[in-house]
Amino acid sequence: MSRFRMYPTAAQEQRMLLHRAHARYVWNLAVEQHAYWKPGRRSAPGFAEQCRQLTEARRDNDWLRVGNADAQQQALKDFAKSSSACPAGSPATSTRTQQ
């Protein structure tokens, strides 16, 4: 994989931060759904159901719709992959790290 240094303009940087914030929000919702699961309840929704829910949420919320749908779905895909690899349950909530 090739790696290139990015030099975004201030507007591009703000747009990327907004995409990252939306992806983090979607990840945290997935964590919340899986944390709600207890024995005796229906299982938490899987990737396909969460994608359907995301589509509905994007339809109903303008602020979420302005974000990149691919980045948001990738957050769900990453969550599904990490939760299947995590033997103790759901992966941790995603938080913003200061750089």
Side-chain angles (χ1 to χ4, degrees), residues 52-98:
R52 283 190 283 278
Q53 292 172 356
L54 177 60
T55 300
E56 186 176 325
R58 287 176 54 82
R59 187 180 326 117
D60 297 340
N61 298 287
D62 290 336
W63 65 270
L64 192 58
R65 190 176 324 133
V66 299
N68 185 301
D70 292 329
Q72 294 166 10
Q73 286 184 346
Q74 186 64 46
L76 291 176
K77 187 181 287 187
D78 291 344
F79 178 82
K81 185 176 180 181
S82 64
S83 64
S84 67
C86 185
S90 294
T93 302
S94 173
T95 57
R96 181 177 181 185
T97 57
Q98 297 295 326

Side-chain angles (χ1 to χ4, degrees), residues 16-73:
M16 287 187 283
L17 289 173
L18 183 64
H19 290 319
R20 187 174 79 174
H22 289 149
R24 186 174 55 250
Y25 178 81
V26 168
W27 173 281
N28 288 340
L29 283 177
V31 170
E32 183 179 339
Q33 286 180 327
H34 282 257
Y36 182 74
W37 180 86
K38 301 277 189 259
R41 291 187 183 156
R42 284 184 30 208
S43 65
F47 174 68
E49 176 60 28
Q50 286 178 325
C51 284
R52 283 190 283 278
Q53 292 172 356
L54 177 60
T55 300
E56 186 176 325
R58 287 176 54 82
R59 187 180 326 117
D60 297 340
N61 298 287
D62 290 336
W63 65 270
L64 192 58
R65 190 176 324 133
V66 299
N68 185 301
D70 292 329
Q72 294 166 10
Q73 286 184 346

